[in-house]
Amino acid sequence: MKIRFLQAFNGDSIWISFKKNDVTRNIIIDGGIGDTYENRLKRKGDLFDTIEYIKNNKQNIDLLVLTHFDDDHIGGILRWLNKDKEAPTLIKKVWFNSGKEIAKELHIEENLDLKIEIKEGEDDFYTSTNQGIKFEEYLSKNQLWDGKIIKQGNEIDLLGLKFKILSPNIDSLKNLLELYKKEEDYFTSGGEFDFETSLKDFTEEESKPKFKFNEDKSIPNGSSIAFVMEYKGKNFLFLGDAHPSVVVEGLKKFDIDKENSLQAELIKISHHGSKHNTNSELLSMIMTDNYLISSNATKHGLPNKRTISRIIKANPNANVFFNYENLIERIFTNDDVATFKNFTPTFKTEFDY
């Protein structure tokens, strides 16, 4: 199995490929911002190259996971769908929690602000109800989606893999329907970049009794699909932008806790390393040495160095991987390296298992 963390700018996009019965299978989790596929100057991005590789090798995207509808996760996919009429022939199955289907599931009124539109040839997607084709209709029309809600507690066997869904829970989906308004900015950022503070200072501050963790309040992030994927007895954890309390709750539903921790090969840290999406309780439930942060550090103050200090406190031997090479020298000082000798920050985008 190869897992590739695409360069998705300030977003997420992950390509997983493996063989089952001598047939190559592909999973794509999110598509980053629109430029991850192609920018306005027609410069191609990692997502474009990935899709072309799959096409040219006569393969399929056997599963496309859209964790939630924030532009930094879905924008590249929608730009591809807008521009490529042949896109539906490449996709076999989609996981996507649409507002319409959530409303049906919960027996409450649909939130029209959750509508996503596809406009052929356009660079971006639209939430207007007056133009284009509704995203749900596009998926259904092309027989890519069964409309089922992916939610906490689901166990799914697919493509020879086992998936345990940790997020979203019912409350998160209900909040999305009842509270989301498209004109508001729900992106809970880390504020300004905190790279000038040392890892030691963050660790000492958070060791004090008065320290209190503040969780992400973003409504779309709360609805993010997060899951454990098992391949040949090995676990991989993909957290999207999920809230840590929901992920912890989800892990406990599968009898995973601090005493019975999940042994994982790798964890994709939630929300680009935001300090509001990774807490000590969650880290104590996952036993791994490999932590991946997807961000180019151009927006919202992310990643937060504070989050990395929590990872090191939980695991002094942590390997923290970044999918942009220049971040390491931007984030870490000589003092950080001298103080935490066993911690290894690394630029790496591809993993083999």
Side-chain angles (χ1 to χ4, degrees):
M1 173 180 280
K2 287 187 181 292
I3 302 177
R4 299 170 181 86
F5 290 86
L6 306 186
Q7 293 194 326
F9 300 88
N10 57 294
D12 271 12
S13 189
I14 303 165
W15 175 24
I16 301 168
S17 62
F18 60 99
K19 283 189 179 292
K20 180 178 184 290
N21 300 328
D22 292 325
V23 176
T24 300
R25 305 292 187 178
N26 297 288
I27 298 172
I28 290 181
I29 306 170
D30 290 329
I33 66 170
D35 289 2
T36 310
Y37 180 73
E38 178 184 282
N39 71 13
R40 297 178 190 278
L41 299 176
K42 309 301 181 186
R43 182 175 296 168
K44 315 303 184 187
D46 272 5
L47 181 63
F48 180 94
D49 293 340
T50 297
I51 291 167
E52 288 302 300
Y53 178 91
I54 292 170
K55 279 184 183 179
N56 293 337
N57 285 276
K58 301 188 185 309
Q59 299 171 12
N60 296 299
I61 298 172
D62 298 277
L63 176 64
L64 173 61
V65 181
L66 303 176
T67 61
H68 60 302
F69 61 87
D70 275 345
D71 181 59
D72 59 324
H73 289 254
I74 200 174
I77 297 297
L78 290 170
R79 187 165 291 179
W80 169 43
L81 299 182
N82 286 342
K83 291 179 172 291
D84 185 355
K85 290 184 179 180
E86 296 181 358
T89 66
L90 203 66
I91 305 168
K92 294 302 178 184
K93 188 176 184 64
V94 176
W95 285 357
F96 171 68
N97 287 338
S98 80
K100 183 177 182 180
E101 294 303 322
I102 296 169
K104 285 183 184 177
E105 177 98 357
L106 301 182
H107 306 290
I108 56 181
E109 188 175 347
E110 186 178 356
N111 182 341
L112 297 181
D113 279 347
L114 295 173
K115 298 277 187 190
I116 297 174
E117 305 288 331
I118 296 290
K119 286 188 68 179
E120 185 178 314
E122 295 286 353
D123 282 330
D124 293 302
F125 67 93
Y126 294 80
T127 51
S128 165
T129 57
N130 299 319
Q131 301 179 50
I133 179 173
K134 293 182 178 62
F135 188 46
E136 294 97 328
E137 292 177 6
Y138 177 94
L139 295 176
S140 298
K141 174 185 173 183
N142 291 290
Q143 299 181 320
L144 306 178
W145 178 58
D146 58 15
K148 290 182 179 177
I149 297 300
I150 306 297
K151 63 181 184 293
Q152 186 185 81
N154 290 161
E155 292 187 75
I156 302 170
D157 291 343
L158 184 67
L159 304 170
L161 307 174
K162 296 181 184 297
F163 296 86
K164 294 181 174 71
I165 309 301
L166 308 177
S167 171
N169 61 16
I170 292 298
D171 287 342
S172 301
L173 294 174
K174 189 169 184 287
N175 286 340
L176 186 69
L177 274 190
E178 295 184 343
L179 302 177
Y180 176 74
K181 295 181 180 178
K182 67 183 177 184
E183 66 271 14
E184 296 188 27
D185 181 7
Y186 286 101
F187 198 110
T188 304
S189 75
E192 298 296 324
F193 290 107
D194 61 1
F195 302 160
E196 292 185 4
T197 303
S198 72
L199 290 170
K200 181 180 178 182
D201 286 347
F202 280 131
T203 302
E204 290 178 351
E205 179 188 344
E206 297 204 2
S207 297
K208 295 177 181 177
K210 67 179 182 180
F211 175 77
K212 183 180 179 181
F213 172 74
N214 293 313
E215 185 164 86
D216 181 8
K217 294 180 175 58
S218 162
I219 293 169
N221 287 352
S223 73
S224 181
I225 295 172
F227 55 86
V228 178
M229 182 186 77
E230 182 182 336
Y231 169 74
K232 293 185 176 180
K234 295 180 178 180
N235 295 309
F236 305 85
L237 192 54
F238 300 96
L239 296 185
D241 282 1
H243 291 169
S245 61
V246 177
V247 175
V248 165
E249 179 186 78
L251 289 167
K252 289 178 178 178
K253 285 185 180 294
F254 293 105
D255 298 320
I256 297 166
D257 55 27
K258 187 175 181 178
E259 286 69 39
N260 183 36
S261 58
L262 177 74
Q263 305 296 314
E265 300 298 315
L266 182 147
I267 174 173
K268 200 292 293 185
I269 293 294
S270 179
H271 196 197
H272 323 291
S274 169
K275 63 186 177 184
H276 302 295
N277 293 73
T278 300
N279 62 12
S280 57
E281 182 180 14
L282 172 58
L283 291 170
S284 73
M285 297 167 72
I286 311 298
M287 292 298 103
T288 186
D289 285 336
N290 301 314
Y291 306 79
L292 191 284
I293 294 174
S294 179
S295 174
N296 66 351
T298 58
K299 283 190 174 183
H300 310 292
L302 299 178
N304 290 134
K305 191 172 180 178
R306 182 183 290 275
T307 302
I308 299 165
S309 76
R310 288 178 192 150
I311 292 171
I312 296 170
K313 184 177 180 182
N315 181 0
N317 298 311
N319 302 310
V320 179
F321 297 100
F322 299 89
N323 59 344
Y324 281 87
E325 189 169 11
N326 67 326
L327 287 196
I328 295 172
E329 63 181 27
R330 282 185 62 192
I331 295 173
F332 303 105
T333 65
N334 291 334
D335 180 60
D336 292 328
V337 175
T339 304
F340 298 94
K341 296 186 183 342
N342 295 327
F343 157 64
T344 308
T346 307
F347 164 66
K348 187 174 180 180
T349 60
E350 185 172 306
F351 301 80
D352 291 288
Y353 296 96

